[in-house]
């Protein structure tokens, strides 16, 4: 289950035991945006604008790739 209001939390059923998955803030934001897209495609530019609009370094595309990788790794055991 995914809770987006109040304190963000992601709970997974691990063989009858509920485990809470900790995610870095940007990964949690990314997961929230993808969950709220309701199965529609979300363009990378929209994700970059929503999550890294304050990135003056210009490395936001790399940050998105890293966040996607971290999210996949965190959810891999339950996919």
């Amino acid at each position: 289950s995914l809770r987006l209001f109040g304190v963000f939390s992601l709970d997974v059923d691990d063989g009858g035991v509920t485990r809470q998955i900790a995610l870095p803030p940007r990964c949690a934001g990314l997961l929230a945006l993808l969950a709220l897209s309701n199965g529609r495609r979300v363009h990378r530019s929209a994700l970059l604008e929503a999550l890294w609009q304050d990135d003056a370094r210009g490395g936001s595309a790399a940050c998105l790739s890293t966040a996607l990788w971290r999210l996949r790794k965190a959810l891999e055991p339950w996919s």
Side-chain angles (χ1 to χ4, degrees):
S1 70
L2 181 60
R3 188 173 317 132
L4 301 176
F5 297 103
V7 177
F8 175 91
S9 72
L10 173 62
D11 300 323
V12 295
D13 182 358
D14 190 10
V17 176
T18 301
R19 292 183 38 157
Q20 189 169 28
I21 305 301
L23 294 174
R26 294 272 170 100
C27 291
L30 176 59
L31 180 59
L33 287 171
L34 294 174
L36 292 171
S37 72
N38 200 27
R40 294 182 305 262
R41 287 185 180 201
V42 181
H43 292 277
R44 291 178 74 86
S45 60
L47 295 172
L48 292 171
E49 184 178 322
L51 296 170
W52 285 276
Q53 75 264 4
D54 61 340
D55 187 7
R57 299 171 299 161
S60 56
C63 291
L64 176 59
S65 293
T66 300
L68 285 166
W69 178 82
R70 285 182 175 165
L71 191 54
R72 272 194 224 90
K73 291 306 250 182
L75 300 176
E76 191 173 58
W78 298 278
S79 57

